[in-house]
Amino acid sequence: MTMFSNEHLEKLLEERKRLAESRGFTLEYQQEQEKIENTVCHPRIAAATEEKYERAIRWRLSRSEPKDANLTREDPDPTPQQLKLFAESYVVSRKTKPSQKSACNNFTCFTSKWERETSRTLPLGLKKDVLNVRAAHVLIFITGATNYRPKNWFREHPVLGKSFVFWVIVHGIADGAFKGISTVEELLEKRPPKGRESWTLEWKEDAKELPFFRMTTSEGPKANEAWTFSSLRHHLTSLAERDGFRDRLRVHGIRGAMANKIDRKALDHMDHDSYLKYQSSLKAVDMMALYHDLDPDYECREMEQSMAHHRDQNVPLRLDAASLAEFEKDEEVILINQRISELTQEIHGRPDKHADLVSERSKLYTRKAKKLRTKRSEFIENWWNVCYDEYIIGNDFLERDTTCLFQIYSKYMPERARLNDNIFKQVPLDSDVGRQCLRDAVSLCTSVEKVAYYPGMTPVEGKCPICAKQMSRNGKRAHRHTRRSFAQFCYLCAELICNEEDWINHCQSHLQALQPRCGLLTFRYTLVAAGLCPFCLGDEKKRADERFQQWVKKATLLNHIDRHLENLPPEGNVSCPHPCCNGRQYSDLSDLRRHFFNRHSIAEPRSNCVARKRKWAETSMALESVKCDRHLEGSA
């Protein structure tokens, strides 16, 4: 059943046709419009968006060009260079330097207006080209009217090492990423060309897709593999442990610090309340100061908000001797050591012919290392749990080696030593100190050297600079060569002394500023600290050179110390002879040996060493056996 009859429908159509023709919508008009090319219709834009679109018109007018240049359908597409110039004009024409996000958003507004007006679409590759260039342009040099004053887009921190631009320059030079610039000096000497008030440095084409932070190996940074989050987390966690932090350093800690300083909307979360997860629960208001009209004091609040509140430089970084002996007594570890010893005998120095045995032994080493890491983590966590009680009763945690190893290593790493002295100074990038820090940082990023050389002994074409002999066969050992009647090399100072009287005076200077460490120390396959005997150091009857006798092999040092220990009573209290310990008493020789390990870093041999076993474990077991026998005799 139809709603309208045919007669009624015809009347309705005639009425509507008459109304349409009276308004100009005739059949001829429709046929004419069908022949015209389609014009894309867009929704009406907001006033704020229209203002952004007008920036392109103002830029054209500033160049004395028609305001609709490239904006009509008949005009050709804008060239990539024109688009890049438009993006750069936005940066250099602002009173304050805009953010990178604002610059990219400005360019996107221009492309949107062009596509709206011309009903055409810019190729995606062209858009990426311009946006990538804007993202890569981090150094913009701006000059004043009378003198050149280098400035850049990113805010420079007064402290050199906290300046983001410092690290951009380091990575850019190290990777050879700057177009036409290869050294720090070349970059810092660049100024805007005549006739321009600003100038943007660019990356090389082959460096635009290169990750800024890349995975590193002993051979240097990987070519194209970016730094993974797991690797970043590992390095941050390791750094926190080495520096005595109880909590892990996390990337989100940076957001937490920002959330305490800036407005919630600046964090760019979709949900602006997300900042509450990062912001500290402590309020930045000193109520007592407000009530009593005092100046607010936020020092304690800032300390509570920082991770430094949970930092303790007394925290152990390794197992102590007692815990290590306990680890070695574990049944699983004993079985692993036995199996490793058996496999080593079966391999018999021919790993190439016993690949399966080598693989099995490697897995056992890994298994043992994991157990050792677990034991170490438990040991450190237990220390944190009991340290408060220890501090209350007056324990100052002196049973640890407080020697600063960096003071020893720094002589073999002059770049790191200079950075340690200067990186946190308030100096500009183009100062002498800033330039030197940039060069040192670039050198560290590009160096693939695995061996530490004594000062003045760096090889020249693989040969000793003094005697012209090969430094070593395997490239993993520094070489010293001298032809003198008397010569002593001080490993702590990396200095060769060729006069006996001078050597005695030199030893005396060390005795007056002794550090606790007595064990040998190797850095990058090179001995950088010889072993010292704590008994000889404390014997004031000997000459200075006899007290400061250097031992270059662990076995000979341990055998020498054993001869001193043989003269001590096996039972009863014994004191540490080292001058730094001030005669501290220990219950027996086993405790003294453990003290040598904990305080003076005199390490016993490896657990699988055949020639010599760990004395602290043997002595402890022997004493326990003697005590047990005496207890049984007393009971009988």
Side-chain angles (χ1 to χ4, degrees), residues 22 32 121 320 366 377 522 557:
S22 66
E32 182 180 349
T121 302
D320 61 9
T366 302
S377 299
T522 300
L557 172 63

Side-chain angles (χ1 to χ4, degrees), residues 49 78 96 144 156 221 274 354 442 462 471 490 537 544 547 618 630 634:
T49 306
T96 58
E156 287 188 35
S274 296
H354 303 280
V442 170
M471 297 292 277
C490 179
L537 289 174
R547 295 174 62 188
E618 290 185 353
R630 289 180 178 177

Side-chain angles (χ1 to χ4, degrees), residues 362-379:
S362 177
K363 292 179 180 178
L364 289 174
Y365 276 127
T366 302
R367 182 178 167 188
K368 180 181 176 181
K370 289 182 178 179
K371 287 185 65 66
L372 186 61
R373 285 196 297 269
T374 302
K375 179 71 174 179
R376 174 178 171 273
S377 299
E378 294 173 352
F379 176 73

Side-chain angles (χ1 to χ4, degrees), residues 513-547:
L514 277 177
Q515 295 292 325
R517 186 180 183 89
C518 291
L520 283 76
L521 182 63
T522 300
F523 175 66
R524 293 182 180 175
Y525 307 101
T526 301
L527 182 65
V528 296
L532 301 172
C533 172
F535 290 96
C536 294
L537 289 174
D539 190 351
E540 298 182 355
K541 297 179 181 179
K542 294 183 177 182
R543 294 191 315 176
D545 57 333
E546 294 175 342
R547 295 174 62 188

Side-chain angles (χ1 to χ4, degrees), residues 375-400:
K375 179 71 174 179
R376 174 178 171 273
S377 299
E378 294 173 352
F379 176 73
I380 294 175
E381 182 62 28
N382 181 67
W383 185 93
W384 280 109
N385 293 334
V386 302
C387 67
Y388 177 82
D389 296 334
E390 295 294 325
Y391 282 131
I392 289 295
I393 64 177
N395 187 349
D396 50 5
F397 295 105
L398 291 179
E399 283 298 304
R400 63 186 185 91

